[in-house]
């Protein structure tokens, strides 16, 4: 069964740090881009960061650059999100997702589609004093 | 960054109704558009990618259309299990932003 399981969430004080882990099973983890998405209580989805299959490329939403770091260990089928200088507004459910890369030729043009087809159940981070 | 705007923010419809949700991108994104469904207390689920390609296992009452800046998700005959919030997401460039969501309620 294809599965993603997040862990590492919890209660942390403002200014603190936390590392989230996402463990993959049932597919070839080392062949896939992976993404972190978060959702604040009662709010919509926010794309946080992603990382290429071999870890050589990483991208972040501008507002989190410098505080959050995405990484992976393909030998352990694991994705990580290191979060530092946490703020109250970082309180959210954090999801990891498999990011499928699908090059498609349409009418002679090449399109490079990405979509998230497998999601974990999420881990909750609460930043509060 | 590309801004994604969905409308309406919420809607209420009866079982069997045709429901349409729109999503507009702040710049042209050709067909780099995904749709997700999120039920209360659950993780999002992929419905449609590349603007109109139905993900495997998704009921055929869901369909997507559009190109450029304007996109549509249609539920041809609303079912009780479609109660959820729906999000569009662009994958034209990073950060791969989402729309703010459309909450679908059943009358």
């Amino acid at each position: 069964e294809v599965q993603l399981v997040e862990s590492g969430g919890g209660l942390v004080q403002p200014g603190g740090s936390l590392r989230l882990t996402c463990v993959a099973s049932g597919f070839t983890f080392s062949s896939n881009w992976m993404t972190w998405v978060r959702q604040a209580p009662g709010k919509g989805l926010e794309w946080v960061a992603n990382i290429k299959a071999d870890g050589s490329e990483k991208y972040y939403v501008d507002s989190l650059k410098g505080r959050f770091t995405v990484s992976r260990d393909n030998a352990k089928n694991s994705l990580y999100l290191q979060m530092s200088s946490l703020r109250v507004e970082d309180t959210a459910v954090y999801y990891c997702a498999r990011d499928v890369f699908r090059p498609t030729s349409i009418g002679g043009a090449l399109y490079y589609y990405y979509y998230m087809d497998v999601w974990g159940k999420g881990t909750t981070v609460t930043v509060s004093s | 960054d590309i801004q994604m705007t969905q409308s309406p923010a919420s809607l209420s419809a009866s079982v069997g109704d045709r429901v349409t949700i729109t999503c507009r991108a702040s710049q042209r994104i050709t067909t780099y558009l995904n749709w997700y469904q999120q039920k209360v207390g659950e993780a999002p689920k992929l419905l449609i990618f590349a603007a109109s390609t139905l993900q495997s296992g998704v009921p055929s009452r869901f369909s997507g259309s559009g190109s450029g800046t304007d996109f549509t998700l249609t539920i041809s005959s609303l079912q009780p299990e479609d109660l959820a919030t729906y999000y569009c997401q662009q994958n034209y460039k990073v950060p791969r932003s989402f729309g703010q969501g459309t909450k679908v309620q059943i009358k």
Side-chain angles (χ1 to χ4, degrees), chain A residues 111 113, chain B residues 2-4 23-34 50-51 66-71 88-93 97:
Chain A
Y111 294 81
Y113 295 119
Chain B
I2 299 175
Q3 309 302 317
M4 306 300 293
C23 176
R24 174 165 289 177
S26 60
Q27 67 178 78
R28 289 181 60 84
I29 58 171
T30 61
T31 53
Y32 288 95
L33 193 283
N34 304 325
S67 180
T69 60
D70 295 316
F71 302 86
C88 61
Q89 183 215 15
Q90 62 84 15
N91 62 102
Y92 184 76
K93 64 166 69 170
S97 42

Side-chain angles (χ1 to χ4, degrees), chain B residues 40-54:
Chain B
V40 172
E42 297 184 6
K45 172 188 172 183
L46 176 69
L47 295 178
I48 287 168
F49 62 92
S52 61
T53 303
L54 201 65

Side-chain angles (χ1 to χ4, degrees), chain B residues 81-99:
Chain B
E81 60 266 31
D82 300 335
L83 169 70
T85 300
Y86 295 83
Y87 295 91
C88 61
Q89 183 215 15
Q90 62 84 15
N91 62 102
Y92 184 76
K93 64 166 69 170
V94 289
R96 302 213 181 111
S97 42
F98 289 91

Side-chain angles (χ1 to χ4, degrees), chain A residues 5-6 21 23-24 32 35 38-39 43 56 65-66 75 77 85 97-99 105 113 123-125 128-129:
Chain A
V5 179
E6 303 96 334
T21 299
V23 177
N32 289 268
T35 294
R38 70 180 183 179
Q39 186 170 36
K43 303 297 184 183
S56 62
K65 276 182 189 173
N77 288 343
S85 303
R98 183 173 74 176
D99 206 354
S105 179
Y113 295 119
T123 187
T124 300
V125 173
S128 174
S129 55

Side-chain angles (χ1 to χ4, degrees), chain A residues 37 39 43-47 50 59 61-62 95 99 102 110-117 119-121, chain B residues 1 30-32 34 36 38 42-46 49-50 53 55 87 89 91 94-100:
Chain A
V37 172
Q39 186 170 36
K43 303 297 184 183
L45 302 172
E46 181 182 26
W47 187 92
N50 72 348
Y59 300 96
V61 65
D62 285 349
Y95 297 101
D99 206 354
R102 183 160 169 164
L110 196 56
Y111 294 81
Y112 300 96
Y113 295 119
Y114 289 88
Y115 51 87
M116 292 176 281
D117 70 334
W119 295 67
K121 296 184 186 303
Chain B
D1 295 359
T30 61
T31 53
Y32 288 95
N34 304 325
Y36 299 88
Q38 186 180 33
E42 297 184 6
K45 172 188 172 183
L46 176 69
F49 62 92
T53 303
Q55 169 70 346
Y87 295 91
Q89 183 215 15
N91 62 102
V94 289
R96 302 213 181 111
S97 42
F98 289 91
Q100 79 278 19

Side-chain angles (χ1 to χ4, degrees), chain A residues 10-52:
Chain A
L11 175 63
V12 60
Q13 291 190 336
S17 298
L18 212 54
R19 187 176 88 153
L20 306 183
T21 299
C22 169
V23 177
S25 59
F27 67 97
T28 306
F29 179 75
S30 58
S31 297
N32 289 268
W33 284 78
M34 296 294 295
T35 294
W36 287 100
V37 172
R38 70 180 183 179
Q39 186 170 36
K43 303 297 184 183
L45 302 172
E46 181 182 26
W47 187 92
V48 170
N50 72 348
I51 183 168
K52 196 175 180 179

